[in-house]
Amino acid sequence: MTSWRELPGSVWLLVGARAVNRLGAFTLPFLTVTLVAEQGASVAQAGYLMAAFGLATIPSRLAGGRLSDRWGPRATIVVGLCATAAAQLLVAGSRTLPQAAVAVVLLGLAFEVYEPPSQSLVADATAPEDRPIAFGLLFAALSAAGMGAGLLAALLAGFDLRWLFVADAVSCLLCAAVIARWLPVARPSSASVAGPARPWRDRRLLLLLGLGTLLATLYLQVTITLPLTVTGRGLPPSVIGLLLTASAVTVVIAQPLAAARALRRLDDPVAMAVAFVVLGIGLAGTGLATSIPAYVASTVVWSIGDLLLMGRAYTLVAAIAPEGGSGAYLAVYGTSWGFAAILAPVLGTQLLASTGPLVTWLLMAMASLGLAAAYLAARGPLGVPRGPDLGRD
């Protein structure tokens, strides 16, 4: 087994390029504001357009997976990033609401194209036992870049909201240039030449898709329920930024935990069960917190759970994908985030309104423990082999 420092150069190149892209990817939280402030949309109209954007990301991700298996990761990533940049510029240049509506839908159709090939490249370039480390490194790098993205957004938003989309387009093009220039071209495998993978017929993948949707629904509560909980308990909105920063810092600093010997000897479902227990403890702590230090402490705990989960979730999918089909499999699994984006806001806000913050977070903690049990029960149906033995180090 290798350490994260010894991962293949192609993985490090991808991680670096995606971090550059992530530095500019701060436009999504401002999209609704831009539609209202710059295009004259009502709040309701902006909500419908954001829903259309979310729906468009589902076929976007599926297309990215198919294209990755046919064209290879490099070509698909470059095409996806360039298409995203073009759509961002269309948003920035829109002068009427109909123009903005078309641009927003086009942005959704391009927005996720480069995700499946990025994940496929990580899976194909690393040995099975090293994938949790590689995926964890990608997650940590994006989290670290996200902190810088917030600072850039604060600077540019003070001039003109349209410049946010221009800056994001530039970051996409820079990332595409790095990938096109230095990322090696992967030859298509014999399996991909013989015929496309059929992920929707694989019951194991459908099982992971269902579990992944629940995972993503729980994960998205951080951006939905946490701000409402903090402000509802009388704390200033600045605390939300503090907690999100603490989460990102934790993911970066705790990244070596994914390479810990005790965790690497566990098979993926067992490791995910452990991570869900950690996540559940952190979620319960958030519900019980009454002070800023308590919120920070619970944030650190659930962020460690997030880190361990993101590394293993995609590793499980890559493990069951046929040769040449990892892009399609990872794309189908990735639609869990699209489904969760529809479910999470409704579930989180309704729970909070009907039960209050304490019960809401305790219920989420119980859901996390339930997912831990579900992944343990899925070991047999998934047929995933046990993780590498510690003695092989």
Side-chain angles (χ1 to χ4, degrees):
M1 291 183 289
T2 60
S3 68
W4 59 274
R5 295 182 182 86
E6 300 169 322
L7 290 171
S10 59
V11 173
W12 278 103
L13 175 64
L14 176 68
V15 167
R18 288 297 308 277
V20 170
N21 175 230
R22 183 69 180 87
L23 277 172
F26 41 65
T27 55
L28 198 55
F30 292 89
L31 186 53
T32 304
V33 178
T34 302
L35 290 171
V36 174
E38 302 290 341
Q39 307 299 342
S42 67
V43 173
Q45 289 172 327
Y48 289 135
L49 286 176
M50 290 305 297
F53 170 88
L55 288 175
T57 62
I58 295 177
S60 171
R61 188 178 282 267
L62 293 174
R66 287 296 184 186
L67 293 176
S68 177
D69 290 339
R70 291 185 180 184
W71 296 353
R74 187 177 78 169
T76 307
I77 293 172
V78 170
V79 168
L81 287 168
C82 290
T84 301
Q88 294 277 16
L89 292 175
L90 285 176
V91 173
S94 297
R95 293 293 179 241
T96 66
L97 185 57
Q99 291 176 351
V102 172
V104 166
V105 173
L106 291 175
L107 179 60
L109 290 172
F111 200 74
E112 299 284 352
V113 168
Y114 55 80
E115 284 292 351
S118 298
Q119 297 158 1
S120 176
L121 186 148
V122 171
D124 294 343
T126 53
E129 63 268 23
D130 295 327
R131 286 171 186 162
I133 299 175
F135 282 118
L137 177 64
L138 179 61
F139 181 53
L142 296 179
S143 297
M147 290 186 289
L151 296 175
L152 287 175
L155 291 174
L156 292 174
F159 295 99
D160 189 327
L161 290 174
R162 295 178 189 272
W163 283 108
L164 293 171
F165 297 90
V166 175
D168 198 352
V170 170
S171 75
C172 287
L173 295 175
L174 286 174
C175 182
V178 171
I179 295 294
R181 175 64 180 85
W182 284 291
L183 187 70
V185 178
R187 295 181 178 180
S189 68
S190 58
S192 63
V193 174
R198 301 186 183 277
W200 292 107
R201 298 184 181 181
D202 192 327
R203 293 182 179 180
R204 297 171 301 169
L205 180 61
L206 295 181
L207 173 60
L208 287 177
L209 175 58
L211 292 174
T213 299
L214 295 176
L215 186 164
T217 301
L218 196 60
Y219 180 89
L220 290 177
Q221 296 308 318
V222 171
T223 59
I224 298 166
T225 311
L226 182 62
L228 295 174
T229 298
V230 169
T231 55
R233 286 177 168 172
L235 294 174
S238 59
V239 174
I240 301 169
L242 171 65
L243 297 180
L244 295 179
T245 301
S247 176
V249 171
T250 300
V251 168
V252 175
I253 294 176
Q255 198 276 332
L257 282 177
R261 291 165 61 95
L263 284 176
R264 293 189 66 173
R265 69 186 300 175
L266 302 176
D267 62 43
D268 294 323
V270 172
M272 290 193 71
V274 172
F276 271 116
V277 171
V278 175
L279 177 65
I281 294 172
L283 295 176
T286 299
L288 296 168
T290 56
S291 64
I292 293 177
Y295 274 111
V296 172
S298 62
T299 296
V300 169
V301 175
W302 58 250
S303 297
I304 292 174
D306 280 345
L307 170 63
L308 299 178
L309 285 172
M310 293 306 161
R312 294 285 187 159
Y314 293 106
T315 300
L316 262 175
V317 178
I320 66 172
E323 183 182 359
S326 60
Y329 268 58
L330 287 163
V332 169
Y333 178 77
T335 62
S336 59
W337 291 93
F339 298 137
I342 299 171
L343 295 173
V346 177
L347 292 176
T349 54
Q350 289 299 314
L351 269 178
L352 199 60
S354 60
T355 67
L358 175 60
V359 175
T360 295
W361 286 92
L362 291 180
L363 286 174
M364 287 194 289
M366 292 175 62
S368 186
L369 297 180
L371 281 169
Y375 272 93
L376 289 177
R379 293 174 75 196
L382 291 174
V384 178
R386 293 188 62 83
D389 187 82
L390 191 60
R392 295 179 187 174
D393 284 357

